[in-house]
């Protein structure tokens, strides 16, 4: 089945550093979403992107929908300890059933105080 | 606002037993999704419903798995008989309309001994 390649798999950073992660696909996506999952909880939506080239911010988070519609990145500026968690990209492929998402493998973020 | 509600949060049972997981979607949402999350395979879509009708069940692993949505506010995922390899966290998510972000419950952590 369709897969998203998300990188890096894990990151260990110092508090205050900026973080960047990305997802790529071989298929064209209509929608890109970024989720964060804390231990013992479900994924929580961070940012949703609907147009190629779209750049959207949510506080210290910024995400972009790639021009080719096959990639997206998420940046976190000035990281803090509560940014720890697993970050997932997800997208819906053009031509597939509405609402059906494909998820990346996740990026595990560790922030050292 | 109440989010997606799943029960139980944890389930431990012996192999061969029937397991029933429950989900209450967000009121007004017309799409409901069941996912399974494991370390090896990440987040996998099992089945999704639109207006209580199953649309795509291609992710359901085998005949031991079944899902129902008898009304707009309730869905079940049943495993019978359960096997140790079914151990995972099962998430339910819901969304409203086309291309809207999915909202996840906190999951059911299932352990089959």
């Amino acid at each position: 089945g369709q897969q998203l390649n998300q990188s890096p798999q894990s990151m260990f950073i110092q508090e205050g550093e900026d973080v960047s992660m990305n997802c790529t696909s071989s298929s064209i996506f209509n929608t890109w979403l970024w989720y964060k999952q804390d231990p013992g909880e479900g994924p929580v939506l961070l940012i949703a992107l609907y147009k190629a080239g779209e750049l959207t911010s949510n506080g210290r988070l910024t995400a972009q929908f790639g021009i080719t519609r096959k990639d997206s990145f998420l940046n976190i500026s000035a990281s803090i300890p509560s940014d720890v968690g697993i970050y997932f990209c997800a997208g819906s492929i053009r031509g597939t059933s509405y609402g059906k998402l494909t998820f990346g493998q996740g990026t595990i973020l560790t922030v050292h105080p | 606002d109440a989010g997606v509600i799943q029960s139980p949060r944890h389930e431990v049972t012996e192999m061969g037993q029937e397991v029933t997981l429950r989900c209450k979607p967000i009121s007004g949402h017309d799409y409901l999704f069941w996912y399974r999350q494991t370390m090896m395979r990440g987040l996998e879509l099992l089945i999704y419903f639109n207006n209580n009708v199953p649309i795509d069940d291609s992710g359901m692993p085998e005949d031991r798995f079944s899902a129902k949505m008898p009304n707009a506010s309730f869905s079940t995922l049943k495993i019978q008989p359960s096997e140790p390899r079914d151990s995972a966290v099962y998430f339910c998510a819901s969304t409203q309309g086309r291309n809207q972000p999915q909202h996840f419950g906190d999951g059911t952590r299932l352990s089959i001994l």
Side-chain angles (χ1 to χ4, degrees), chain B residues 38-110:
Chain B
T38 60
M39 288 293 293
M40 291 297 294
R41 301 173 68 89
L43 266 166
E44 302 175 277
L45 177 66
L46 301 178
I47 185 171
Y48 80 96
F49 295 82
N50 177 218
N51 292 323
N52 313 338
V53 176
I55 302 300
D56 185 345
D57 65 354
S58 59
M60 295 286 262
E62 48 199 272
D63 292 344
R64 298 184 298 107
F65 285 68
S66 62
K68 294 182 179 180
M69 192 164 185
N71 57 63
S73 60
F74 183 65
S75 177
T76 59
L77 178 68
K78 188 173 293 187
I79 309 173
Q80 167 63 23
S82 57
E83 297 182 4
R85 61 193 167 119
D86 301 331
S87 298
V89 181
Y90 291 80
F91 287 103
C92 176
S94 71
T95 188
Q96 182 179 38
R98 294 177 171 184
N99 285 336
Q100 295 301 309
Q102 295 177 21
H103 298 266
F104 284 77
D106 283 337
T108 295
R109 182 172 295 276
L110 177 64

Side-chain angles (χ1 to χ4, degrees), chain A:
Chain A
Q2 172 62 32
Q3 290 205 345
L4 289 180
N5 295 313
Q6 185 171 349
S7 64
Q9 283 190 316
S10 61
M11 301 183 73
F12 298 84
I13 62 171
Q14 291 293 129
E15 182 177 0
E17 290 184 3
D18 296 344
V19 172
S20 184
M21 58 192 80
N22 68 82
C23 274
T24 59
S25 169
S26 56
S27 298
I28 291 175
F29 275 56
N30 279 337
T31 305
W32 283 97
L33 307 171
W34 285 92
Y35 287 86
K36 182 192 177 197
Q37 185 176 20
D38 290 327
E41 298 183 11
V44 174
L45 181 69
L46 299 174
I47 293 179
L49 303 160
Y50 299 102
K51 293 181 183 178
E54 181 180 355
L55 184 71
T56 298
S57 293
N58 178 7
R60 294 177 295 105
L61 277 61
T62 302
Q64 185 159 31
F65 192 142
I67 294 288
T68 64
R69 307 183 74 96
K70 295 183 178 181
D71 64 327
S72 177
F73 72 74
L74 175 71
N75 287 342
I76 306 173
S77 63
S79 59
I80 59 178
S82 62
D83 290 334
V84 166
I86 306 176
Y87 291 79
F88 291 97
C89 61
S92 62
I93 299 170
R94 174 184 287 180
T96 61
S97 301
Y98 286 110
K100 185 174 181 178
L101 291 179
T102 301
F103 280 82
Q105 305 96 318
T107 295
I108 301 172
L109 178 63
T110 304
V111 180
H112 295 286

